Amino acid sequence: MAQWTSAVGPAQLARLLQSQQDRPAGPGTRRPPAYRALADGVRLLVLEGRVPVAARLPAERELALSLSVSRTTVAAAYEALRSEGFLESRRGAGSWTAVPAGNPLPARGLEPLPPEALGSMIDLGCAALPAPEPWLTRAVQGALEDLPPYAHTHGDYPAGLPALRAMIAERYTARGIPTMPEQIMVTTGAMGAIDAICHLFAPRGERIAVESPSYANILQLMREAGARLVPVAMAEGLAGWDMDRWRQVLREAAPRLAYVVADFHNPTGALADDDQRRRLVEAARSAGTVLVADETMSELWLDDDVVMPRPVCGFDPAGSTVITVGSASKAFWAGMRIGWVRAAPDVIRSLVAARAYADLGTPVVEQLAVNWLFSTGGWERAVAVRREQARENRDALVAAVRRELPSWHFAVPAGGLTLWVRAGGLSGSRLAEAGERVGVRVPSGPRFGVDGAFEGYVRLPFTVGGAVAEEAAVRLAAAARVVERGGAGGGEAPRTFVA
């Protein structure tokens, strides 16, 4: 029986390999033999998770034609991969990707490191900060005080606790967007909300338009749901959304859904202005596309002079085009897995009905904790703490990267939790691999794109500050030197660092 579970076509693999090109070699730099470069490229795709483990690779002749190299080169690369444990073969079944014994499976998203690994590794993979105490503890205590009446019920609230739904609706109304509790469904985080929306509106095979780049975990969620992703390029720097491109894609591709992060976009940090939001809603309405607006970063402005635009749903008074997703995870704490959907009442009813076959509902105690924060003013105080943390971390990280890596380019966002960095012509994938060896974990640009885009980028979150930010930049510079020397193996040993 074949040992592979999926397949990668020759044209697709060639495209992924082409996206990995490093900057031109400098004087005196020796390029590896063609077979070695090919083997290294495939190995890197497997380690990044961009080619899954147990994926059948093309036959040698097919790949040679797609890459315009000799079959001997491909055969030698495959043999090198087999000897290193990254490829297995069987006569009649072909060759499929693997990982050597003892190596972890490559991450498909941006999972945080386990706590025991944090002593020697600086984690820049996950854009999440510690809880803003004492507000987490106070919220949980308040939830426990409010719990007894709910303990006498079955505890299943598919649409969410009525008190929390009413409170979220009230907060939208206070922002100038009249909202009824019937327009709110509480979910298990923003990921749970978007997963439910995708299953309802975009079953397997449907098109979803996404920003390019976009949030890696959402892209992966949509891929695994069987969506056909249609990327729409973002403008350079913080300019954000190109409305002409969006109008063209929505008109020609007619996607069922479109997903945008208009508030301090992840990963670029761009903030859509009122005109961009209005035109985006108009384009979606004209194309018959449902626009999903991710507001998880909307309260994380970091500069005092920021004037927040009107919410995207504010440009859809009829409520027929925009579905809004919010969450406590970014603005408060990632461990508080409470999200919500704001949509037309009929959409909410459909989402709630479909939930009976998914997770049934969201934990009651966590909902009570968020309701306590919203109803007591604790939320505003906690978010103020979060903004101060993120602002200090951003400024420290920006200064450290500019000092240690002056050839890296980025625009400093006025909010959010991430810095989108062009890595001075280096391969982001190779930087990520080298970073693991020198003690800094950083996600490469292709995780945030579709089909190998953004190889020259990395994303740096505002999760570390002070001396840790300085050390992170030092380790990134060490990783860059490894890549510049033409390899991602070896390098400098990581130092244990305790903040």
Side-chain angles (χ1 to χ4, degrees):
M1 186 178 75
Q3 302 297 306
W4 49 274
T5 57
S6 61
V8 181
Q12 179 187 7
L13 184 56
R15 188 165 58 249
L16 290 169
L17 289 165
Q18 181 64 32
S19 75
Q20 291 183 335
Q21 297 300 311
D22 290 336
R23 64 180 172 183
T29 302
R30 287 172 41 185
R31 287 196 175 276
Y35 86 89
R36 184 69 260 173
L38 175 55
D40 287 347
V42 173
R43 174 176 56 84
L44 197 58
L45 290 172
V46 173
L47 289 172
E48 275 250 304
R50 293 163 60 200
V51 169
V53 175
R56 187 180 188 274
L57 295 187
E60 293 171 2
R61 188 185 303 277
E62 294 174 342
L63 185 57
L65 287 172
S66 289
L67 294 175
S68 299
V69 299
S70 71
R71 183 177 176 181
T72 302
T73 296
V74 177
Y78 278 16
E79 181 56 37
L81 289 166
R82 275 190 288 270
S83 68
E84 296 163 2
F86 286 94
L87 195 69
E88 296 181 11
S89 303
R90 179 175 296 173
R91 185 178 296 278
S95 299
W96 56 92
T97 56
V99 292
N103 277 36
L105 288 174
R108 300 301 299 274
L110 304 176
E111 299 84 358
L113 281 175
E116 61 269 19
L118 295 178
S120 60
M121 183 72 70
I122 297 176
D123 186 9
L124 297 181
C126 185
L129 288 161
E133 289 287 36
W135 299 107
L136 173 61
T137 299
R138 292 183 183 178
V140 173
Q141 290 170 342
L144 294 177
E145 292 174 1
D146 293 338
L147 181 61
Y150 296 93
H152 294 291
T153 73
H154 48 64
D156 287 335
Y157 296 88
L161 294 183
L164 181 56
R165 295 176 72 196
M167 183 59 67
I168 294 171
E170 183 180 315
R171 290 174 65 84
Y172 276 106
T173 300
R175 294 167 67 189
I177 314 297
T179 303
M180 303 179 295
E182 292 79 8
Q183 292 177 263
I184 302 295
M185 181 177 83
V186 180
T187 63
T188 307
M191 293 286 287
I194 293 169
D195 183 55
I197 293 166
C198 288
H199 279 87
L200 180 63
F201 285 93
R204 185 169 295 274
E206 289 282 357
R207 295 185 179 92
I208 301 179
V210 295
E211 298 146 327
S212 184
S214 187
Y215 179 37
N217 286 341
I218 293 296
L219 295 181
Q220 190 59 36
L221 181 155
M222 292 175 174
R223 290 188 190 102
E224 294 185 358
R228 298 161 62 190
L229 301 184
V230 182
V232 187
M234 298 279 285
E236 284 294 318
L238 299 177
W241 294 259
D242 185 323
M243 288 302 107
D244 291 335
R245 288 176 180 169
W246 271 99
R247 190 177 298 105
Q248 179 182 3
V249 168
L250 294 180
R251 182 178 63 248
E252 295 178 357
R256 187 70 184 90
L257 281 181
Y259 169 76
V260 297
V261 187
D263 301 292
F264 308 118
H265 174 259
N266 186 353
T268 67
L271 176 65
D273 60 28
D274 281 327
D275 184 61
Q276 288 173 320
R277 296 170 190 236
R278 176 183 54 77
R279 294 172 65 190
L280 187 58
V281 173
E282 290 173 353
R285 184 184 298 118
S286 177
T289 298
V290 175
L291 182 64
V292 181
D294 185 333
E295 285 191 337
T296 53
M297 298 282 187
S298 64
E299 297 191 63
L300 289 177
W301 63 85
L302 305 183
D303 294 337
D304 293 336
D305 59 351
V306 174
V307 177
M308 290 301 296
R310 188 173 175 80
V312 175
C313 59
F315 297 92
D316 180 37
S320 59
T321 299
V322 177
I323 296 177
T324 302
V325 172
S327 171
S329 298
K330 293 298 184 184
F332 185 73
W333 184 48
M336 187 67 76
R337 305 304 304 161
I338 298 295
W340 52 86
V341 177
R342 181 199 180 274
D346 62 317
V347 172
I348 295 297
R349 286 193 294 270
S350 296
L351 289 170
V352 171
R355 194 172 196 179
Y357 308 101
D359 63 355
L360 295 179
T362 302
V364 169
V365 174
E366 283 86 341
Q367 292 188 71
L368 289 172
V370 172
N371 191 60
W372 183 91
L373 288 165
F374 285 160
S375 61
T376 63
W379 176 267
E380 284 71 24
R381 294 182 178 92
V383 172
V385 172
R386 170 66 76 240
R387 290 193 196 107
E388 184 177 356
Q389 288 175 314
R391 183 186 307 112
E392 291 176 355
N393 288 355
R394 179 197 63 180
D395 295 347
L397 187 64
V398 165
V401 172
R402 282 178 171 165
R403 181 180 64 251
E404 299 292 336
L405 293 149
S407 65
W408 289 20
H409 297 288
F410 52 85
V412 181
L417 290 173
T418 57
L419 201 63
W420 185 236
V421 181
R422 188 189 294 271
L426 298 179
S427 159
S429 298
R430 297 184 187 277
L431 281 166
E433 187 184 8
E436 294 275 356
R437 298 176 180 273
V438 300
V440 60
R441 182 173 182 257
V442 58
S444 65
R447 289 194 179 278
F448 304 88
V450 176
D451 240 1
F454 307 110
E455 184 57 54
Y457 288 81
V458 293
R459 189 195 74 169
L460 305 180
F462 310 146
T463 52
V464 297
V468 183
E470 294 177 5
E471 178 66 14
V474 168
R475 295 186 188 188
L476 286 171
R481 290 192 293 272
V482 171
V483 176
E484 287 171 338
R485 290 198 296 266
E492 303 168 32
R495 293 173 283 173
T496 298
F497 188 84
V498 180

